[in-house]
Amino acid sequence: MTLDTEHNGDFWLRLDNAAKIYPAVKDRELTSVFRIAAQLKDRVKAKELLEAAHALERRFPYFNVKLKAGVFWYYLEPAGLPLIPRPDIKTPCRAFDRQELMFRILAREKTISVEFSHILTDGTGAFEFLKTLLFVYFEKCGHRLPPGLAYHRPEDPPSEEEYEDAYKKHFKRIDSRPPKRSKAFHLPFSLKRAPRFDLLTAVIPVKCIIEKAKAHSVSLTEYLTAVYLYSLQQIYRQQSFLKKRATNKILRIEVPINLRKLFPSRTMRNFSLYVIPGMDLRLGHYTFEEILKTVYHQMQLETDKKLISKMISRNVSGEKSPFVRGLPLFIKSVVLARLYTLGTKQYSGVVTNLGKIDLSEKINKLIDKFVFIPPPPNDILKVNCAVAGFDNQLVLTFGNITKSRELERKFLTFLTKEGVPVRLLQPYK
Amino acid sequence: MAICKNCGVELEEVMLSCPLCGEPVAGSGESGTSRQTTPAGEPAFQPRAEMSQPQKKFTWEIISIILLSGLIATFIVDFVINQTITWSEYPVAISLTIFAYISLFAFWQQPTLLQIAGSLALSIVFLLLLDLLTNGISWSVGLGIPLLLAANLVAAGLIGVIYRSKYKGINLLAWGFLGAAFLCLCIEGILVRFMTGTFRFGWSLIVCGSVIPVALVLFFVHLRLKKGRSLEKTFHM
């Protein structure tokens, strides 16, 4: 069965389980908007990009929607707006106006970017959209696409599976209470004045850092998470005696997991959950190797399909509870905003890895690098990090709302000391 | 190949301005003021169907003449019968109010809500002057101006609702009923207060009690009928 928004005026979508929290917390600063940018080898051609965007207008109707407030829940309604690329001259990841779509295509010099609200999709969904846009764009530029490429062809009708709530699809009721987590350590830096979202982008050779990770028999994400925790430990230790006594002593990093790898789904909406490896500083100082070992084992354990099913069950059960369903939206929003704050207090940072991007040998040659920019962190978390690997370049982007760059400095200095060359990119201005 | 100096993207030879930001290509002869081009596929601005200025002026003249002649006739009849100005104050006040509104709507090119506010201010001035020139300030402050204010509030509210309604249908009728009910409450409250010095509601409450259920039914029918949409999306749990 296909989606027909033109003839079916009654088409609307419920927010997926992960998206439900974002309308309650988003504002001008905490936008819940992230970006994936493709830096091409050649300058972007305006006409071809316009044509490519136009070709995609009907392919992703579940993105061409507006957020509406119902009596009990928010929902998504078709917006029917044209898809027009815009110049990339403003702050990255800025909030969407009520009148515009909740995603945008941006272009500047050699870079084509897409920005999505988390209400619509996660990194994987946004990347699939960008991939399609790039393929169509290259085709319009006269490049022949190699046969067998997997992407959402503009001429294909969108299938129902693409806009399903995969959390609900894979929901199995498991009776379990969520674990009680103590509050985690948070960076002690003061916030910048609004608009406060600032970025630092670093490029490191993939081969070099993979070698380091392999030497410890861990994955790249596990290695980066360990570096993040090690840097946080250094910041904790640098504090005065009194501050150290007063602050929380648990370090935890939230690492999003793409659930499509565990549960079969072709959904283009949110379908990710988190694992939260961490360590307890009350037990003493950790060497990097000890942190790495802890992170590795916790990640291996927490990504177990049964444990993830338990998390899905907990989240979806909450949404299905008759009491929760019957609460009017304004009360739900207050509760969800509070839950979001409480959730953020349980971890100290975020490392989100888009993974290794490969668009076929022929297409890869047309692209220089991919940059993944995380959504602005809230005033508890303060800093987060997003990673994208392409060709031999691993691009790390730190989103920061504080006046300090200490975490980034510690993180990148650690890498250089390990022999990994780090190159900083011109900041987005 | 031309390059947009704003976005840095490559433009076709035939392009006079960048389709992303509207920046004119150097030497294309486009002025900086005409930067905002309509991108492909974006609907062009559709001006509202309005009266032209000569049409507005003609309408204003006709209405003014009718009002003026009515006003003079009323005054004369009242004066001839009673040897002074008595009941004719009220039709004159109404005529002056209508004159204030049509004059500002005809010649003051401003957003509607501002026009309403301006007309209200001008009417208030007219009413005060009329009251002052007849038997001194008596009915204008306690009766005329509050009634005028209530009517304006209801009108502004209804205009706002009409403007913001994405689907205009039976819902506007329902809003009209609610506006009328509210106006009845205001009228009775102001009249009773003017005459007895206290607030008491009687007949207007009966009007509200009758109108509100009707309005609710109309809203319900509107939601049911509009473009075949169900209520499920609004009320889904």
Side-chain angles (χ1 to χ4, degrees):
Chain A
M1 191 176 158
T2 57
L3 171 72
D4 188 351
T5 51
E6 193 178 4
H7 303 296
N8 182 2
D10 218 11
F11 172 72
W12 62 280
L13 290 171
R14 293 163 188 259
L15 298 192
D16 61 63
N17 182 262
K20 281 197 160 69
I21 204 160
Y22 293 112
V25 296
K26 74 180 173 77
D27 58 33
R28 302 305 297 177
E29 286 295 317
L30 188 66
T31 62
S32 308
V33 176
F34 60 92
R35 170 186 291 209
I36 307 176
Q39 196 170 326
L40 312 182
K41 294 270 174 67
D42 294 322
R43 213 174 264 277
V44 176
K45 293 180 170 66
K47 179 174 161 278
E48 285 76 2
L49 180 61
L50 280 170
E51 286 174 358
H54 184 63
L56 262 55
E57 248 164 38
R58 287 169 170 271
R59 181 61 186 80
F60 301 96
Y62 38 84
F63 289 156
N64 198 325
V65 286
K66 279 185 180 175
L67 184 71
K68 295 274 177 181
V71 175
F72 299 102
W73 295 102
Y74 284 98
Y75 62 93
L76 301 169
E77 200 176 64
L81 292 173
L83 205 50
I84 302 162
R86 304 286 181 195
D88 183 10
I89 48 176
K90 294 183 182 168
T91 318
C93 305
R94 68 185 189 283
F96 294 101
D97 291 335
R98 273 184 159 199
Q99 297 309 313
E100 61 179 337
L101 294 174
M102 286 183 286
F103 75 105
R104 50 174 81 98
I105 300 171
L106 300 162
R108 177 181 179 175
E109 296 177 7
K110 294 180 177 178
T111 307
I112 296 174
S113 312
V114 290
E115 286 188 347
F116 273 84
S117 164
H118 247 308
I119 293 170
L120 290 185
T121 187
D122 55 14
T124 308
F127 177 71
E128 283 299 315
F129 177 86
L130 175 63
K131 191 168 86 176
T132 301
L133 178 70
L134 288 174
F135 286 164
V136 178
Y137 168 75
F138 288 137
E139 218 171 16
K140 301 272 179 201
C141 289
H143 299 284
R144 283 190 63 186
L145 299 181
L149 279 181
Y151 70 106
H152 297 81
R153 287 175 167 73
E155 61 277 12
D156 291 346
S159 75
E160 264 191 18
E161 222 184 322
E162 288 174 32
Y163 57 93
E164 70 183 5
D165 182 347
Y167 298 100
K168 273 192 183 163
K169 184 183 173 186
H170 294 282
F171 165 74
K172 275 186 289 182
R173 192 173 291 282
I174 299 165
D175 201 11
S176 78
R177 290 190 164 206
K180 267 199 170 179
R181 286 198 185 98
S182 54
K183 286 180 190 168
F185 168 76
H186 289 106
L187 292 168
F189 312 135
S190 52
L191 300 183
K192 282 172 64 179
R193 290 177 66 180
R196 51 172 71 115
F197 189 48
D198 212 356
L199 297 165
L200 182 84
T201 307
V203 184
I204 52 183
V206 172
K207 274 182 192 166
C208 198
I209 198 158
I210 289 282
E211 271 173 23
K212 294 285 169 194
K214 272 189 178 168
H216 294 282
S217 306
V218 296
S219 71
L220 177 64
T221 307
E222 288 156 358
Y223 186 83
L224 292 172
T225 306
V227 178
Y228 205 122
L229 283 167
Y230 190 70
S231 309
L232 283 170
Q233 181 182 238
Q234 283 179 292
I235 290 169
Y236 168 80
R237 288 173 65 84
Q238 271 180 1
Q239 294 183 115
S240 66
F241 174 75
L242 282 176
K243 274 199 172 176
K244 260 193 270 190
R245 276 188 69 87
T247 194
N248 300 311
K249 290 159 191 71
I250 309 293
L251 299 184
R252 291 195 196 97
I253 300 292
E254 186 188 78
V255 184
I257 302 291
N258 178 13
L259 297 187
R260 295 166 186 86
K261 288 178 180 171
L262 293 173
F263 301 91
S265 174
R266 286 176 56 216
T267 188
M268 289 286 280
R269 300 172 71 197
N270 287 294
F271 195 37
S272 51
L273 274 175
Y274 310 94
V275 293
I276 309 187
M279 54 205 230
D280 189 346
L281 294 180
R282 289 172 299 190
L283 307 181
H285 177 74
Y286 286 77
T287 63
F288 180 67
E289 282 70 25
E290 283 172 334
I291 295 176
L292 207 48
K293 194 172 77 178
T294 306
V295 169
Y296 170 77
H297 288 293
Q298 289 185 47
M299 293 271 285
Q300 294 298 313
L301 191 70
E302 287 187 36
T303 47
D304 173 65
K305 200 173 170 181
K306 284 192 171 63
L307 286 179
I308 297 284
S309 288
K310 194 168 85 173
M311 275 174 83
I312 294 176
S313 168
R314 273 201 307 261
N315 294 351
V316 178
S317 294
E319 177 194 329
K320 281 176 176 269
S321 146
F323 173 71
V324 174
R325 281 161 55 194
L327 285 176
L329 184 62
F330 67 94
I331 297 176
K332 271 198 196 93
S333 296
V334 172
V335 175
L336 284 172
R338 180 80 188 130
L339 285 177
Y340 181 80
T341 308
L342 288 175
T344 319
K345 282 182 178 168
Q346 294 175 1
Y347 51 89
S348 323
V350 176
V351 175
T352 173
N353 188 358
L354 197 59
K356 173 112 171 72
I357 297 166
D358 182 8
L359 304 180
S360 82
E361 196 181 341
K362 193 178 175 190
I363 302 295
N364 286 354
K365 283 179 184 164
L366 304 169
I367 300 166
D368 180 45
K369 64 171 91 63
F370 281 89
V371 180
F372 183 23
I373 300 180
N378 69 358
D379 53 7
I380 299 167
L381 207 59
K382 296 174 186 160
V383 180
N384 54 13
C385 176
V387 185
F390 176 73
D391 205 11
N392 190 32
Q393 297 188 91
L394 188 76
V395 180
L396 288 98
T397 308
F398 292 90
N400 190 328
I401 57 168
T402 74
K403 293 173 183 166
S404 169
R405 289 264 190 226
E406 193 59 16
L407 178 79
E408 293 91 318
R409 198 178 67 79
K410 293 225 173 326
F411 191 107
L412 299 173
T413 309
F414 176 88
L415 292 179
T416 52
K417 280 183 184 163
E418 289 282 299
V420 178
V422 175
R423 177 166 58 96
L424 293 183
L425 289 186
Q426 185 75 9
Y428 268 85
K429 288 289 175 195
Chain B
M1 279 289 180
I3 306 289
C4 170
K5 63 182 179 186
N6 195 21
C7 311
V9 297
E10 200 175 291
L11 306 175
E12 294 267 287
E13 294 292 354
V14 291
M15 286 179 177
L16 297 175
S17 63
C18 172
L20 301 183
C21 65
E23 181 75 25
V25 175
S28 68
E30 275 197 27
S31 69
T33 52
S34 61
R35 279 180 58 177
Q36 292 303 318
T37 54
T38 306
E42 202 166 47
F45 173 70
Q46 297 277 335
R48 277 190 299 167
E50 282 183 343
M51 281 175 148
S52 65
Q53 202 51 40
Q55 282 174 322
K56 278 184 183 175
K57 191 171 175 243
F58 178 73
T59 312
W60 177 81
E61 281 172 355
I62 297 290
I63 297 174
S64 300
I65 290 166
I66 294 167
L67 287 173
L68 189 68
S69 51
L71 192 147
I72 292 168
T74 313
F75 254 138
I76 291 170
V77 171
D78 190 22
F79 194 75
V80 167
I81 295 170
N82 300 313
Q83 303 300 308
T84 183
I85 303 298
T86 57
W87 55 266
S88 64
E89 258 185 290
Y90 299 112
V92 169
I94 292 166
S95 299
L96 285 175
T97 303
I98 295 171
F99 178 74
Y101 278 82
I102 60 154
S103 300
L104 283 198
F105 273 80
F107 301 115
W108 201 40
Q109 302 298 325
Q110 292 295 332
T112 311
L113 287 179
L114 209 59
Q115 285 177 324
I116 290 180
S119 308
L120 175 67
L122 192 60
S123 312
I124 288 172
V125 172
F126 280 159
L127 293 188
L128 280 171
L129 281 175
L130 179 70
D131 200 15
L132 193 67
L133 290 173
T134 48
N135 291 322
I137 298 290
S138 58
W139 52 265
S140 60
V141 175
L143 187 68
I145 295 169
L147 282 174
L148 203 56
L149 199 63
N152 275 267
L153 277 177
V154 170
L158 287 176
I159 289 169
V161 165
I162 292 167
Y163 182 74
R164 289 177 68 92
S165 292
K166 192 176 173 188
Y167 301 104
K168 295 176 177 60
I170 300 174
N171 59 332
L172 297 187
L173 196 62
W175 283 114
F177 270 118
L178 289 181
F182 179 70
L183 192 58
C184 286
L185 273 177
C186 295
I187 290 171
E188 189 178 21
I190 293 163
L191 274 174
V192 173
R193 169 88 182 156
F194 180 69
M195 290 190 290
T196 65
T198 54
F199 273 116
R200 251 197 351 259
F201 296 96
W203 61 267
S204 62
L205 288 178
I206 298 169
V207 172
C208 289
S210 317
V211 161
I212 288 172
V214 175
L216 289 177
V217 169
L218 290 173
F219 278 128
F220 184 79
V221 172
H222 169 74
L223 282 168
R224 271 280 180 211
L225 290 181
K226 66 177 186 183
K227 295 195 173 181
R229 283 168 166 77
S230 70
L231 295 175
E232 202 195 343
K233 63 183 176 184
T234 307
F235 293 100
H236 76 277
M237 287 173 75

